[in-house]
Amino acid sequence: MPELPSLPTLKDLHALNPLQQPTYADPGEATDVVRQLRRLPPLVFAGECDELRTKLAGVAAGKAFLLQGGDCAETFAGVTAANIQNKLRTLLSMSLVLTYAAQVPVVKVGRMAGQYTKPRSSDSETRDGVTLPAYRGDAVNGFDFTEEARKHDPQRLLGVYNASSATLNLVRAFVKGGFADMRTMHSWNSDFVRNSPAGVRYEQLTAEIERALAFIEACGIVSEQTRTVDFYSSHEGLSLEYEHAMTRIDSRTHRPYNTSGHFVWIGERTRQLDGAHVELMRHVRNPIGVKLGPTTSADTALELADRIDPDGEPGRITFITRMGAGKIRDLLPDVVEKVTASGRQVAWVCDPMHGNTFESANGYKTRAFSDVIDEVNGFFDVHDELGTWPGGVHIELTGDDVTECVGGAQELVEADLSSRYETLCDPRLNRNQSLELAFQVAERLVQSRNSRGADAAVATTAPALWA
C-alpha cells in the first residue's frame, strides 16, 4: 500500500490524547489488526464520495435536502437481510414523502455500514455492586454484562469491516436491483403501517405518485431514475485505528479518502479544535459532518470550519445541530448568523434526537416524539427567520415496530416501552414514528420553499427528484 503522505500517523494522533478511545490490553495485537485492515479492499470509492460532496453542495445552496437516518448503534447480530431491508424501506418511504410533498431532491444517507462505535459519558458501568467497562459498541466490546464480553478487543475491528461490507453489498443490490423502483413503493409499507394514520396517508400519497408516473410514461418519457436511487453510507468516525487504517490514497487524485464510508462525522464529544479526530478528518477528502451541541458558540463553529475546510469548498462541511427542543430557538440563531456572515455556505442539518433523551419512570432511556418534533420545528423556525436553508434531518430510527420513544400517533406511553425495547444504546423512532416525522418535515419544507419564492424551486419532475 502506498504511503499516506499528507496524513498524520496513528502515533501522531495518539500523541494528541484522543478522547473516547478503547484501551487494548495488548497494543501489539491492535497493531496487527490495523495492518490487516490496511490490506483489505476499500468499502466505498473516492468517486462516490465526490458525488456525495457535490450533492451536499446542493444542500448547502438551498437546492436539496438531506435525509440521514439509521440505528443508534449497529450490531453484528443485526446484519441480516430483513433488518437491512426494513431500515432501507423506511428511509425510502420517508424520502418519497419529502420529495413529492416538498418538491426538492432528497439526498439519501444511511446511518449504517459502519456505526459500530459509540461515545459514552462514563468509562464504566456498575450493576449490583459489580463495575465493568461500559459498552462502547460492537467495534470495541460486547453488550453482555460479563468481564469477558466487556473486554476491549481489537479483533472486533475486523468484524466491523466484514459487517459493513456485507451491509453495503446488500444495500447496493437493493437500490440498484429493483427494490427501490418507485413502482414498488406500495410494498415498502404493506404490512403494519398500512393501518396506522401515517400509513394511510402514505398510501394516499403513493396513489397520487402512481397517477403522475402513469402520465409521464403515457407521454413516452421513460427514465431509469425512477427505478434506482443513489444511497450513501455514514457513521461517526470515532475509532482512530479503524478510520486511519481505512484511509487510502485515490489513484486519480493522489489524495487521501476515508474509504470506510461516504460521509463521516465528528461527534460532540470529540470535536476539540486541536484534537485527534479533527486532525485526522481535516486531511481526508470525504464530506465531513460536525455535531454541534448546546455548548457550541458561533466562534467555535467558525474555528472548526476554518480548521476542517480552510478553502470553503461547497459540500465539504455539514453542521449537524443537536441542541435540544428547549434550547434550539435561543442558541442556534447566533451560530447560523455568524457562520453565514463569514461567507461560508455550509449544510445545516438538525439532529432532534440526542438533545432530547431522558429516563422514564420505569427505568428506560427514551425520547418523547413531541420533543423531537419541537426541535425540528425550532430548527425550521430559526432558518426561516434568518432566510437560511434548513438543509436536512439526522434521525436515529429503525425499520421495526419497536417501542423505544414515547408519543406519536400510536400514543405510546412509558408503560409500553417494555414490550419491544430492543436498542443496545439510544432509543430510536419506529417505522410509524419515522413516517409521521417525514410528513411533518415535508410540511415545514413546503413552508420554507414558499417563503423564499420561486427562486428556491428546483426541477420538479419525478425522475430527477427520485435520483
Side-chain angles (χ1 to χ4, degrees), residues 412-454:
L412 295 179
V413 297
E414 291 186 5
D416 297 319
L417 295 175
S418 61
S419 62
R420 277 199 68 178
Y421 194 93
E422 299 177 2
T423 182
L424 299 189
C425 196
D426 290 341
R428 306 159 295 176
L429 299 182
N430 61 31
R431 194 171 0 153
N432 277 301
Q433 292 166 329
S434 299
L435 204 53
E436 187 178 349
L437 173 71
F439 278 110
Q440 298 207 37
V441 170
E443 290 174 3
R444 289 306 306 258
L445 267 176
V446 171
Q447 295 172 19
S448 293
R449 287 185 64 251
N450 289 343
S451 70
R452 287 162 176 75

Short mmCIF file of all heavy atoms in Angstrom, two decimals, residues 412-454:
data_model
loop_
_atom_site.label_atom_id
_atom_site.label_comp_id
_atom_site.label_asym_id
_atom_site.label_seq_id
_atom_site.Cartn_x
_atom_site.Cartn_y
_atom_site.Cartn_z
N LEU A 412 -47.76 5.97 22.17
CA LEU A 412 -47.01 5.10 23.07
C LEU A 412 -46.73 5.82 24.38
O LEU A 412 -46.36 7.00 24.38
CB LEU A 412 -45.68 4.69 22.42
CG LEU A 412 -45.75 3.82 21.16
CD1 LEU A 412 -44.34 3.54 20.64
CD2 LEU A 412 -46.49 2.53 21.43
N VAL A 413 -46.89 5.12 25.48
CA VAL A 413 -46.63 5.68 26.80
C VAL A 413 -45.49 4.90 27.45
O VAL A 413 -45.04 3.87 26.92
CB VAL A 413 -47.89 5.65 27.68
CG1 VAL A 413 -48.99 6.51 27.08
CG2 VAL A 413 -48.39 4.22 27.87
N GLU A 414 -45.02 5.39 28.60
CA GLU A 414 -43.87 4.75 29.23
C GLU A 414 -44.11 3.29 29.56
O GLU A 414 -43.18 2.48 29.50
CB GLU A 414 -43.48 5.54 30.49
CG GLU A 414 -42.91 6.92 30.16
CD GLU A 414 -42.38 7.65 31.38
OE1 GLU A 414 -42.37 7.03 32.47
OE2 GLU A 414 -41.97 8.81 31.25
N ALA A 415 -45.34 2.94 29.87
CA ALA A 415 -45.65 1.53 30.17
C ALA A 415 -45.47 0.63 28.96
O ALA A 415 -45.28 -0.59 29.10
CB ALA A 415 -47.08 1.42 30.70
N ASP A 416 -45.52 1.21 27.74
CA ASP A 416 -45.37 0.42 26.52
C ASP A 416 -43.90 0.10 26.21
O ASP A 416 -43.62 -0.77 25.38
CB ASP A 416 -45.95 1.17 25.32
CG ASP A 416 -47.45 1.40 25.43
OD1 ASP A 416 -48.14 0.47 25.88
OD2 ASP A 416 -47.92 2.51 25.07
N LEU A 417 -42.98 0.81 26.82
CA LEU A 417 -41.57 0.68 26.45
C LEU A 417 -41.05 -0.75 26.61
O LEU A 417 -40.22 -1.21 25.84
CB LEU A 417 -40.71 1.64 27.28
CG LEU A 417 -40.96 3.14 27.04
CD1 LEU A 417 -40.13 3.98 28.00
CD2 LEU A 417 -40.65 3.52 25.60
N SER A 418 -41.55 -1.44 27.61
CA SER A 418 -41.03 -2.78 27.89
C SER A 418 -41.45 -3.82 26.86
O SER A 418 -40.85 -4.90 26.80
CB SER A 418 -41.50 -3.24 29.28
OG SER A 418 -42.92 -3.29 29.34
N SER A 419 -42.44 -3.52 26.02
CA SER A 419 -42.95 -4.55 25.11
C SER A 419 -41.96 -4.88 23.99
O SER A 419 -41.76 -6.05 23.65
CB SER A 419 -44.30 -4.13 24.53
OG SER A 419 -44.17 -2.95 23.76
N ARG A 420 -41.32 -3.85 23.40
CA ARG A 420 -40.30 -4.12 22.37
C ARG A 420 -39.21 -3.06 22.44
O ARG A 420 -39.02 -2.25 21.53
CB ARG A 420 -40.91 -4.14 20.96
CG ARG A 420 -41.54 -5.45 20.58
CD ARG A 420 -41.71 -5.57 19.06
NE ARG A 420 -40.43 -5.69 18.35
CZ ARG A 420 -40.33 -5.85 17.03
NH1 ARG A 420 -41.42 -5.93 16.28
NH2 ARG A 420 -39.13 -5.96 16.46
N TYR A 421 -38.49 -3.06 23.54
CA TYR A 421 -37.36 -2.14 23.70
C TYR A 421 -36.10 -2.92 23.34
O TYR A 421 -35.62 -3.76 24.10
CB TYR A 421 -37.28 -1.64 25.15
CG TYR A 421 -36.36 -0.46 25.33
CD1 TYR A 421 -36.85 0.84 25.26
CD2 TYR A 421 -34.99 -0.64 25.57
CE1 TYR A 421 -36.00 1.93 25.44
CE2 TYR A 421 -34.14 0.43 25.73
CZ TYR A 421 -34.65 1.73 25.67
OH TYR A 421 -33.81 2.81 25.83
N GLU A 422 -35.55 -2.67 22.14
CA GLU A 422 -34.51 -3.54 21.60
C GLU A 422 -33.16 -2.88 21.41
O GLU A 422 -32.17 -3.55 21.13
CB GLU A 422 -34.99 -4.13 20.26
CG GLU A 422 -36.25 -4.98 20.39
CD GLU A 422 -36.76 -5.50 19.05
OE1 GLU A 422 -36.10 -5.22 18.02
OE2 GLU A 422 -37.81 -6.16 19.04
N THR A 423 -33.10 -1.54 21.52
CA THR A 423 -31.83 -0.87 21.29
C THR A 423 -30.81 -1.22 22.36
O THR A 423 -31.17 -1.43 23.52
CB THR A 423 -32.02 0.66 21.23
OG1 THR A 423 -30.75 1.28 20.96
CG2 THR A 423 -32.56 1.20 22.56
N LEU A 424 -29.53 -1.27 21.97
CA LEU A 424 -28.47 -1.51 22.93
C LEU A 424 -27.85 -0.20 23.42
O LEU A 424 -26.95 -0.22 24.26
CB LEU A 424 -27.37 -2.38 22.31
CG LEU A 424 -27.78 -3.77 21.84
CD1 LEU A 424 -26.55 -4.58 21.46
CD2 LEU A 424 -28.59 -4.50 22.90
N CYS A 425 -28.35 0.92 22.90
CA CYS A 425 -27.78 2.20 23.30
C CYS A 425 -28.89 3.24 23.42
O CYS A 425 -29.59 3.27 24.42
CB CYS A 425 -26.71 2.63 22.31
SG CYS A 425 -25.64 3.93 22.95
N ASP A 426 -29.10 4.06 22.41
CA ASP A 426 -30.10 5.12 22.48
C ASP A 426 -31.42 4.69 21.83
O ASP A 426 -31.43 3.89 20.90
CB ASP A 426 -29.60 6.38 21.78
CG ASP A 426 -28.47 7.06 22.55
OD1 ASP A 426 -28.34 6.76 23.75
OD2 ASP A 426 -27.73 7.85 21.95
N PRO A 427 -32.56 5.26 22.29
CA PRO A 427 -33.86 4.90 21.72
C PRO A 427 -34.04 5.46 20.31
O PRO A 427 -33.62 6.57 20.00
CB PRO A 427 -34.85 5.55 22.70
CG PRO A 427 -34.09 6.66 23.34
CD PRO A 427 -32.67 6.20 23.42
N ARG A 428 -34.72 4.68 19.47
CA ARG A 428 -34.92 5.04 18.07
C ARG A 428 -36.41 5.21 17.76
O ARG A 428 -37.26 4.60 18.40
CB ARG A 428 -34.37 3.92 17.17
CG ARG A 428 -32.92 3.55 17.44
CD ARG A 428 -32.58 2.17 16.92
NE ARG A 428 -33.32 1.13 17.63
CZ ARG A 428 -33.29 -0.16 17.33
NH1 ARG A 428 -32.54 -0.58 16.32
NH2 ARG A 428 -33.99 -1.04 18.02
N LEU A 429 -36.70 6.00 16.77
CA LEU A 429 -38.07 6.08 16.25
C LEU A 429 -38.39 4.78 15.53
O LEU A 429 -37.54 4.22 14.82
CB LEU A 429 -38.22 7.24 15.28
CG LEU A 429 -37.95 8.66 15.80
CD1 LEU A 429 -38.21 9.68 14.70
CD2 LEU A 429 -38.79 8.97 17.03
N ASN A 430 -39.62 4.27 15.71
CA ASN A 430 -40.02 3.11 14.92
C ASN A 430 -40.51 3.56 13.55
O ASN A 430 -40.49 4.76 13.23
CB ASN A 430 -41.07 2.28 15.67
CG ASN A 430 -42.35 3.05 15.95
OD1 ASN A 430 -42.75 3.93 15.18
ND2 ASN A 430 -43.02 2.72 17.06
N ARG A 431 -40.95 2.63 12.74
CA ARG A 431 -41.28 2.98 11.36
C ARG A 431 -42.48 3.93 11.27
O ARG A 431 -42.50 4.85 10.46
CB ARG A 431 -41.55 1.72 10.53
CG ARG A 431 -41.55 2.04 9.05
CD ARG A 431 -41.60 0.88 8.11
NE ARG A 431 -41.63 -0.44 8.66
CZ ARG A 431 -42.20 -1.46 8.01
NH1 ARG A 431 -42.80 -1.24 6.86
NH2 ARG A 431 -42.17 -2.66 8.50
N ASN A 432 -43.49 3.72 12.12
CA ASN A 432 -44.63 4.63 12.12
C ASN A 432 -44.21 6.03 12.51
O ASN A 432 -44.60 7.02 11.86
CB ASN A 432 -45.70 4.11 13.10
CG ASN A 432 -46.58 3.05 12.48
OD1 ASN A 432 -47.23 3.28 11.49
ND2 ASN A 432 -46.57 1.86 13.08
N GLN A 433 -43.44 6.15 13.57
CA GLN A 433 -42.99 7.46 14.02
C GLN A 433 -42.10 8.13 12.97
O GLN A 433 -42.17 9.35 12.77
CB GLN A 433 -42.25 7.33 15.35
CG GLN A 433 -43.15 6.93 16.51
CD GLN A 433 -42.38 6.48 17.74
OE1 GLN A 433 -41.28 5.93 17.62
NE2 GLN A 433 -42.93 6.70 18.92
N SER A 434 -41.25 7.34 12.30
CA SER A 434 -40.37 7.90 11.27
C SER A 434 -41.19 8.46 10.11
O SER A 434 -40.89 9.55 9.59
CB SER A 434 -39.42 6.81 10.76
OG SER A 434 -38.61 6.32 11.80
N LEU A 435 -42.20 7.73 9.70
CA LEU A 435 -43.03 8.18 8.59
C LEU A 435 -43.84 9.41 8.99
O LEU A 435 -44.01 10.36 8.21
CB LEU A 435 -43.97 7.05 8.16
CG LEU A 435 -44.52 7.08 6.74
CD1 LEU A 435 -43.41 7.23 5.71
CD2 LEU A 435 -45.35 5.82 6.46
N GLU A 436 -44.32 9.41 10.22
CA GLU A 436 -45.05 10.57 10.73
C GLU A 436 -44.14 11.79 10.75
O GLU A 436 -44.56 12.90 10.37
CB GLU A 436 -45.55 10.26 12.14
CG GLU A 436 -46.46 11.32 12.74
CD GLU A 436 -46.97 10.93 14.12
OE1 GLU A 436 -46.79 9.75 14.53
OE2 GLU A 436 -47.52 11.81 14.79
N LEU A 437 -42.89 11.61 11.17
CA LEU A 437 -41.92 12.70 11.16
C LEU A 437 -41.71 13.23 9.75
O LEU A 437 -41.65 14.45 9.52
CB LEU A 437 -40.60 12.22 11.74
CG LEU A 437 -39.42 13.20 11.66
CD1 LEU A 437 -39.62 14.36 12.62
CD2 LEU A 437 -38.10 12.50 11.95
N ALA A 438 -41.61 12.33 8.78
CA ALA A 438 -41.38 12.74 7.39
C ALA A 438 -42.49 13.66 6.90
O ALA A 438 -42.23 14.65 6.21
CB ALA A 438 -41.25 11.52 6.50
N PHE A 439 -43.73 13.34 7.22
CA PHE A 439 -44.84 14.19 6.78
C PHE A 439 -44.75 15.58 7.42
O PHE A 439 -45.01 16.59 6.76
CB PHE A 439 -46.18 13.53 7.11
CG PHE A 439 -46.61 12.50 6.11
CD1 PHE A 439 -46.62 11.15 6.43
CD2 PHE A 439 -47.02 12.88 4.83
CE1 PHE A 439 -47.02 10.19 5.50
CE2 PHE A 439 -47.41 11.94 3.89
CZ PHE A 439 -47.41 10.59 4.23
N GLN A 440 -44.38 15.62 8.69
CA GLN A 440 -44.30 16.92 9.36
C GLN A 440 -43.12 17.74 8.83
O GLN A 440 -43.23 18.96 8.65
CB GLN A 440 -44.20 16.72 10.87
CG GLN A 440 -45.43 16.01 11.44
CD GLN A 440 -45.70 16.34 12.88
OE1 GLN A 440 -45.50 17.46 13.32
NE2 GLN A 440 -46.18 15.36 13.63
N VAL A 441 -42.00 17.09 8.56
CA VAL A 441 -40.87 17.79 7.96
C VAL A 441 -41.23 18.30 6.57
O VAL A 441 -40.86 19.42 6.18
CB VAL A 441 -39.63 16.87 7.91
CG1 VAL A 441 -38.51 17.51 7.08
CG2 VAL A 441 -39.13 16.56 9.31
N ALA A 442 -41.95 17.48 5.80
CA ALA A 442 -42.36 17.89 4.46
C ALA A 442 -43.22 19.16 4.50
O ALA A 442 -43.05 20.06 3.67
CB ALA A 442 -43.12 16.76 3.78
N GLU A 443 -44.10 19.24 5.47
CA GLU A 443 -44.94 20.43 5.60
C GLU A 443 -44.10 21.67 5.88
O GLU A 443 -44.34 22.75 5.32
CB GLU A 443 -45.98 20.22 6.70
CG GLU A 443 -47.05 19.20 6.34
CD GLU A 443 -47.98 18.89 7.50
OE1 GLU A 443 -47.82 19.52 8.58
OE2 GLU A 443 -48.87 18.03 7.33
N ARG A 444 -43.10 21.52 6.75
CA ARG A 444 -42.24 22.67 7.03
C ARG A 444 -41.38 23.02 5.82
O ARG A 444 -41.10 24.20 5.57
CB ARG A 444 -41.34 22.36 8.24
CG ARG A 444 -42.05 22.32 9.58
CD ARG A 444 -42.85 23.59 9.88
NE ARG A 444 -42.10 24.80 9.78
CZ ARG A 444 -41.61 25.49 10.82
NH1 ARG A 444 -41.78 25.03 12.04
NH2 ARG A 444 -40.97 26.62 10.62
N LEU A 445 -40.95 22.02 5.06
CA LEU A 445 -40.17 22.30 3.86
C LEU A 445 -40.98 23.08 2.84
O LEU A 445 -40.48 24.00 2.19
CB LEU A 445 -39.68 20.99 3.23
CG LEU A 445 -38.30 20.49 3.63
CD1 LEU A 445 -38.02 19.14 2.99
CD2 LEU A 445 -37.22 21.49 3.24
N VAL A 446 -42.23 22.71 2.69
CA VAL A 446 -43.12 23.44 1.77
C VAL A 446 -43.22 24.90 2.20
O VAL A 446 -43.11 25.82 1.38
CB VAL A 446 -44.51 22.79 1.72
CG1 VAL A 446 -45.48 23.68 0.95
CG2 VAL A 446 -44.43 21.42 1.06
N GLN A 447 -43.40 25.13 3.50
CA GLN A 447 -43.49 26.49 4.01
C GLN A 447 -42.19 27.25 3.75
O GLN A 447 -42.21 28.42 3.35
CB GLN A 447 -43.80 26.47 5.50
CG GLN A 447 -45.16 25.91 5.86
CD GLN A 447 -45.34 25.73 7.37
OE1 GLN A 447 -44.61 26.32 8.17
NE2 GLN A 447 -46.27 24.89 7.76
N SER A 448 -41.05 26.59 3.98
CA SER A 448 -39.76 27.24 3.77
C SER A 448 -39.54 27.61 2.31
O SER A 448 -39.09 28.72 1.99
CB SER A 448 -38.62 26.33 4.25
OG SER A 448 -38.66 26.17 5.65
N ARG A 449 -39.89 26.71 1.41
CA ARG A 449 -39.73 27.00 -0.02
C ARG A 449 -40.65 28.12 -0.44
O ARG A 449 -40.26 29.02 -1.19
CB ARG A 449 -40.02 25.75 -0.85
CG ARG A 449 -38.92 24.68 -0.78
CD ARG A 449 -39.20 23.53 -1.72
NE ARG A 449 -39.19 23.95 -3.10
CZ ARG A 449 -40.27 24.03 -3.87
NH1 ARG A 449 -41.45 23.73 -3.38
NH2 ARG A 449 -40.17 24.40 -5.12
N ASN A 450 -41.89 28.10 0.03
CA ASN A 450 -42.84 29.14 -0.35
C ASN A 450 -42.40 30.50 0.16
O ASN A 450 -42.58 31.52 -0.51
CB ASN A 450 -44.23 28.80 0.19
CG ASN A 450 -44.87 27.64 -0.54
OD1 ASN A 450 -44.44 27.27 -1.64
ND2 ASN A 450 -45.88 27.03 0.05
N SER A 451 -41.82 30.53 1.37
CA SER A 451 -41.39 31.80 1.94
C SER A 451 -40.21 32.39 1.18
O SER A 451 -39.96 33.59 1.24
CB SER A 451 -41.02 31.63 3.42
OG SER A 451 -39.84 30.87 3.56
N ARG A 452 -39.49 31.55 0.45
CA ARG A 452 -38.33 32.02 -0.31
C ARG A 452 -38.66 32.32 -1.76
O ARG A 452 -37.83 32.82 -2.50
CB ARG A 452 -37.20 30.98 -0.23
CG ARG A 452 -36.55 30.94 1.14
CD ARG A 452 -35.77 29.66 1.34
NE ARG A 452 -35.06 29.65 2.60
CZ ARG A 452 -35.62 29.45 3.79
NH1 ARG A 452 -36.93 29.26 3.86
NH2 ARG A 452 -34.92 29.48 4.90
N GLY A 453 -39.87 31.98 -2.19
CA GLY A 453 -40.28 32.30 -3.54
C GLY A 453 -39.83 31.29 -4.56
O GLY A 453 -39.21 30.28 -4.25
N ALA A 454 -40.11 31.60 -5.80
CA ALA A 454 -39.88 30.65 -6.89
C ALA A 454 -38.40 30.35 -7.10
O ALA A 454 -38.04 29.30 -7.62
CB ALA A 454 -40.48 31.20 -8.18
#
